Amino acid sequence: MTQELHIVGGGMAGSEAAWQAANMGVQVVLHEMRPKVKTFAHQTGNLGEMVCSNSFRSDDSEQNAVGLLHWEMRAADGLIIDTAHRHRLPAGGALAVDREPFAETVTARLKAHANIRISYEEITDLPADGQWIIATGPLTSQGLGAAIQARTGSDALAFFDAIAPIVYYDSIDMSKAWMQSRYDKGETEEEQRAYLICPMDKETYEAFIDALLAADKTEFHEGETAGYFDGCLPIEVMAERGRETLRHGPMKPVGLTNPHQPDVKAHAVVQLRRDNALGTLFNIVGFQTKMKYGAQKEVLRMIPGLENAQFARLGGIHRNTFLNSPTLLDAQMRLKSQPNIRFAGQITGVEGYVESAAMGLLAGRLAAAEILGRDLPPLPQDSAHGALVHHITGGAEAKTFQPMNVNFGLFRPLDGVRGGRRGRKDRYRGYTDRAKEVWTDWLAAQRVDAAAAE
């Protein structure tokens, strides 16, 4: 075997794809344009850098589809999920990580792999020869984006993704704020105190909404359309949908008790989540924003406890480009018009770190199997990976295709399990039990095939 696998993009998907293919014995060249070519969102040249939240969301593999995806990735020796657990921070039931050492470890492990070579240059075309995976994510460079658009024969879809601000802990007034997870969720005291809470009374909330609506916002370039993904809406866009929208979304005041005023129920709250192991940085949960920097400081300092907040990073906004995958990709994640090219990660129309890494895991294994001349067993649709990739490569309606998080709505129904809200717990457990069984069988079949090939 002499053919190399070329992977473009060293984010979650590209890093995971490289790891999986290299572990199967394929020589991998991982192309990453940073740090030579910078993006506005990245701060370093590290692979696997987290540019938005520092959370991989729920780690519950029995009642949550994201947690199930975590479980499947761990079973497949996933680089991203294993490294996330190595650098885990308290976050209630979520898997949050210390982002800088996380990316440093991902980079070090990939560089140390005997089958991986990293090339730091920008790729601006879709090569006609060789096996390639394009995993450039939402910040695909202009040159490569134009090449993809030209080759697919259709316009790439786009929405705008917003980044939440990060605050220095020592600038927060803890005489007004406190530490608590909703409903004291978590097995340890550290988990039960994983979030920093800032309360608002009704008058403060109303003034905050007024300021949010009046604040100067980032303007879009001529010809651009802002089509936001609902899972990452800027707070001002939510406020425009109704004055109570935020209070029933990221600012909902349920499951919390203010130790400074135990008898006073907050009208709304702002949650901050620890962003590094030292506990010196906290990101404002759900507060992605397109406000201009000056306006951000003024508005966010209206939050009780953040009156003197100092910001390690202010929010930002960027264009997120993704393919109409149900039309353009086959079930093997290959470009139908050019099958030597696979796509992985957020550019395929999945949303989130976990989903992006999962699509990288599949693309890496599928490409490596093709290079090695192996026929992988059919991907089980009843696994979380299978349900998600089935959705983006054919299950979704192409005319209305939008980025999708993994969720149990993508899973095939279970026989004999009660529907509705009352049957949800048993139904979710049924989905996860079934998924774990078929995923385990799929991985075992590959190990048998690999052993036979040797």
Side-chain angles (χ1 to χ4, degrees), residues 210-223:
D210 288 339
L212 198 57
L213 294 173
D216 286 338
K217 318 294 195 308
T218 300
E219 299 295 330
F220 300 111
H221 297 297
E222 185 176 353

Side-chain angles (χ1 to χ4, degrees), residues 151-263:
R151 197 65 55 88
T152 59
S154 62
D155 291 338
L157 303 178
F159 67 97
F160 286 81
D161 215 359
I163 294 174
I166 294 178
V167 180
Y168 288 105
Y169 173 77
D170 61 10
S171 70
I172 299 171
D173 184 352
M174 293 304 293
S175 70
K176 297 179 180 179
W178 73 94
M179 304 298 298
Q180 186 184 7
S181 296
R182 291 191 194 278
Y183 302 105
D184 298 315
K185 189 172 183 179
E187 296 181 359
T188 67
E189 182 179 356
E190 192 176 33
E191 292 284 349
Q192 293 165 5
R193 293 166 50 84
Y195 292 84
L196 193 153
I197 310 299
C198 297
M200 284 188 181
D201 58 23
K202 184 174 182 180
E203 183 180 356
T204 304
Y205 176 79
E206 293 294 336
F208 179 78
I209 296 298
D210 288 339
L212 198 57
L213 294 173
D216 286 338
K217 318 294 195 308
T218 300
E219 299 295 330
F220 300 111
H221 297 297
E222 185 176 353
E224 290 184 330
T225 302
Y228 297 104
F229 171 58
D230 277 346
C232 204
L233 282 176
I235 53 171
E236 56 273 10
V237 173
M238 284 190 271
E240 289 167 0
R241 294 183 174 185
R243 298 185 69 87
E244 293 290 289
T245 302
L246 280 169
R247 207 169 74 83
H248 293 284
M251 296 180 69
K252 59 186 176 184
V254 300
L256 298 164
T257 301
N258 185 349
H260 307 303
Q261 296 178 298
D263 298 328

Side-chain angles (χ1 to χ4, degrees), residues 101-399:
F102 167 83
E104 289 168 356
T105 300
V106 168
T107 304
R109 295 177 75 182
L110 290 170
K111 285 184 173 180
H113 202 297
N115 291 341
I116 297 174
R117 176 169 62 89
I118 300 172
S119 176
Y120 292 99
E121 85 283 347
E122 182 182 2
I123 301 295
T124 59
D125 200 2
L126 296 180
D129 301 312
Q131 288 290 327
W132 291 75
I133 296 174
I134 308 299
T136 46
L139 300 180
T140 299
S141 68
Q142 185 175 359
L144 183 58
I148 293 170
Q149 190 174 36
R151 197 65 55 88
T152 59
S154 62
D155 291 338
L157 303 178
F159 67 97
F160 286 81
D161 215 359
I163 294 174
I166 294 178
V167 180
Y168 288 105
Y169 173 77
D170 61 10
S171 70
I172 299 171
D173 184 352
M174 293 304 293
S175 70
K176 297 179 180 179
W178 73 94
M179 304 298 298
Q180 186 184 7
S181 296
R182 291 191 194 278
Y183 302 105
D184 298 315
K185 189 172 183 179
E187 296 181 359
T188 67
E189 182 179 356
E190 192 176 33
E191 292 284 349
Q192 293 165 5
R193 293 166 50 84
Y195 292 84
L196 193 153
I197 310 299
C198 297
M200 284 188 181
D201 58 23
K202 184 174 182 180
E203 183 180 356
T204 304
Y205 176 79
E206 293 294 336
F208 179 78
I209 296 298
D210 288 339
L212 198 57
L213 294 173
D216 286 338
K217 318 294 195 308
T218 300
E219 299 295 330
F220 300 111
H221 297 297
E222 185 176 353
E224 290 184 330
T225 302
Y228 297 104
F229 171 58
D230 277 346
C232 204
L233 282 176
I235 53 171
E236 56 273 10
V237 173
M238 284 190 271
E240 289 167 0
R241 294 183 174 185
R243 298 185 69 87
E244 293 290 289
T245 302
L246 280 169
R247 207 169 74 83
H248 293 284
M251 296 180 69
K252 59 186 176 184
V254 300
L256 298 164
T257 301
N258 185 349
H260 307 303
Q261 296 178 298
D263 298 328
V264 177
K265 175 72 173 177
H267 186 72
V269 301
V270 175
Q271 281 188 303
L272 293 87
R273 180 175 54 231
R274 199 165 88 182
D275 204 74
N276 65 347
L278 294 174
T280 57
L281 301 175
F282 277 72
N283 65 65
I284 309 181
V285 177
F287 265 52
Q288 298 85 2
T289 180
K290 61 170 183 167
M291 287 186 286
K292 292 183 177 179
Y293 285 173
Q296 283 185 52
K297 292 180 181 180
E298 291 180 9
V299 173
L300 295 176
R301 285 173 179 158
M302 295 176 67
I303 298 169
L306 302 188
E307 293 91 345
N308 298 306
Q310 297 297 313
F311 298 93
R313 184 187 71 189
L314 288 165
I317 189 163
H318 63 267
R319 189 178 184 203
N320 188 344
T321 302
F322 61 98
L323 298 172
N324 191 328
S325 294
T327 300
L328 299 173
L329 302 184
D330 68 13
Q332 294 271 315
M333 306 173 72
R334 295 174 297 205
L335 191 60
K336 292 176 183 177
S337 62
Q338 192 176 336
N340 71 308
I341 303 289
R342 278 182 171 82
F343 285 86
Q346 213 163 320
I347 197 170
T348 65
V350 298
E351 177 64 19
Y353 294 140
V354 181
E355 290 86 342
S356 295
M359 294 303 95
L361 186 152
L362 288 180
R365 285 183 173 243
L366 291 168
E370 186 170 336
I371 290 172
L372 295 168
R374 299 178 191 166
D375 291 324
L376 290 186
L379 179 66
Q381 187 178 337
D382 293 325
S383 65
H385 281 78
L388 188 58
V389 77
H390 177 265
H391 174 79
I392 65 171
T393 60
E397 174 59 52
K399 291 182 180 179

